[in-house]
Amino acid sequence: MKRLSAFNVVSLTLGFAFLYIPMLILVIYSFNESRLVTVWAGFSTKWYGELFRNEAMIDAAWVTLQVAFFSSTIATVLGTMAAYVLVRQGRFMGRTLFSGMIYAPLVMPEVITGLSLLLLFIAIGLDRGIVTIVLAHTTFAMCYVSVVVSSRLVSFDQSLEEAALDLGATPFEAFRLVTLPIIAPAVISGWLLAFTLSLDDLVIASFTAGPSATTLPIKIFSSVRLGVSPEINALSTIIIGIVTVGVISASLISKRAITKRIREEQAAV
Amino acid sequence: MAERPSPNQTVFAPWTDPDAVPLIRIEGVTKRFGDFTAIDNIDLNIYRREFFALLGPSGCGKTTLMRMLAGFETPTEGRISIDEQDMAGVAPNRRAVNMMFQSYALFPHLSVWENIAFGLRRDGADKDKIAARVEEMLKLVQLERFARRKPHQISGGQRQRVALARSLAKAPKLLLLDEPLGALDKKLRQDTQFELMDIQEKTGTTFVIVTHDQEEAMTVASRVAVMDNGRIMQVATPAEIYEQPNSVYVADFIGDVNLIEGRVSSIDEGRATLDWAEGQHPITGQASGSLSKGGRATFAVRPEKLYISREEPTERTNRVWGKILDIGYLGNLSTYHVETTGGQVIKCEMINVSRIDRRDYTWDDEVWLSWSDTAGLVLPE
Ligand SMILES: Nc1ncnc2c1ncn2[C@@H]1O[C@H](COP(=O)(O)OP(=O)(O)O)[C@@H](O)[C@H]1O
Ligand SMILES: [Mg+2]
């Protein structure tokens, strides 16, 4: 291992402090006895108890998870299909237009996406609620999925699919049995990306949510406007905890998969 | 290995039998990509149990022709029929044709066993039958011990055998092999060529192999089609291709050849005589194609058909004098590069029969090269 110079140590510390001190403060204050956020009055877990008794908050969390699950799943299916057609079908009329259009929502301000969806839902008379949020999130997450999946498909050896056809598979079987298992990691990353985007989306959800369904980001944002409550700190701490565990286990799993593959390859020689 | 003709066995040559029904009929097939013509009006018949080789330089359309047989490309013009059935509109998965891809295209997420079973499973055969067939295939290519491995866990040569087993598993009427041995080193290549011939013999499948290696085509094939720029230049047995090339292109493409340009001075009973240089005797060879008296033609003769001597071999009509430019000693044979009139260099190959034979030739020696009247061909331009 290389030793770091003093300058490097300082820059590293500053950078990480900048990133993590706000979160650390948030975590610490979630265990504060006092209702006042800025005054430390001793250790307590009572806000966690409060949080779990706060039904509105629990409901919002549940809605958020449902929305994230359904929208990311639908977005993954649609996004993968779009990517497949755009990468695979070769040149067809309007291909450039379509592939350009799939990127447009990525750079479109969320306010505009949200507003346009709101207008659409009103125009077709769809009551705002969980369904409309799912539709809205599907719409924008689909583009991200299709970008992730098409970057994988571009490097996918097309002769694998031809080999499947040659061996008697129908085009759909070739996709299901050969293409999909091979591009699965990209599809899963696309799904995770869509899931995360949906979890933390505030703007689009605000436009498309109705009185019957509120997501967690909306709930947090609106309650913070009335003053930061220690309950929100507790909730945020839980989210930070979940994310940390998720990131660490994902990296452990992929590291183990790589070591296993290397070992197998060495065994082959 | 190729069948040896023996007294009680007829030679395998269905293409000489006018009543034989070809397995593959390619009639007037043209394939264009945009305004580029990859295949230019090809007619070709391939018969059952043949080991047919498509030979030609890179980019001449070999893969395109194969892909049309497999169904991945459709001919722009003309028709292809397999087993008397017109293949127009028949999807690749509905053809009794299997292909071994240039890149092998093994499914990386499936084991060797599952790769071989893939095609059988698509047919919905029952489990025991599939298992038995896969085991049979593994045995054929000697990979029983590697059945559970994934493609990335085996060597290049083993992968190539898995690809072969996979494409043979469904017992296709026709097996297409696109440069199957391209990725192997020379020794493994040669072993595999014999293995391929052996397997072709055992399974009785019709093989069409694509290669740009002329030695490979000559070794394995019952017939060879030499291609150039999307056209077939000649279709014949390896021996005919070598001894009776129908054009300068084919003669030059297959093996070593001396080409001498000249003007036809006489044509008589299948022999043509060529004037080619001042101060040299005219040369005579077997006339081939449409030659006209006074027209330009090329004389082609293989280096091993030439004989080198110090004295003028007056009993031979074909004799040329020159000066030794270069000598290559290869152990079993020696090659002499002899420069004659007009800077024309002729290559002569002599087997070193005795240990001290002909070692007395050296650089700049004046020598005579000679050959018989039937050793070479006179080809039209
Ligand atoms: N899909 C395609 N689109 C355009 N040109 C192609 C296509 N496939 C092949 N070609 C062209 O056709 C020619 C013959 O290709 P190919 O059959 O692969 O040659 P070979 O296998 O003999 O090396 C090449 O010049 C190649 O560029
Ligand atoms: Mg090729």
Side-chain angles (χ1 to χ4, degrees), chain A residues 92-109:
Chain A
F92 58 88
M93 271 272 288
R95 178 172 179 271
T96 325
L97 182 67
F98 279 117
S99 56
M101 273 163 68
I102 207 123
Y103 288 94
L106 301 184
V107 291
M108 191 71 73

Side-chain angles (χ1 to χ4, degrees), chain A residues 172-190:
Chain A
F172 180 68
E173 280 177 320
F175 178 76
R176 184 170 59 87
L177 298 169
V178 174
T179 315
L180 196 55
I182 296 171
I183 63 164
V187 175
I188 293 170
S189 332

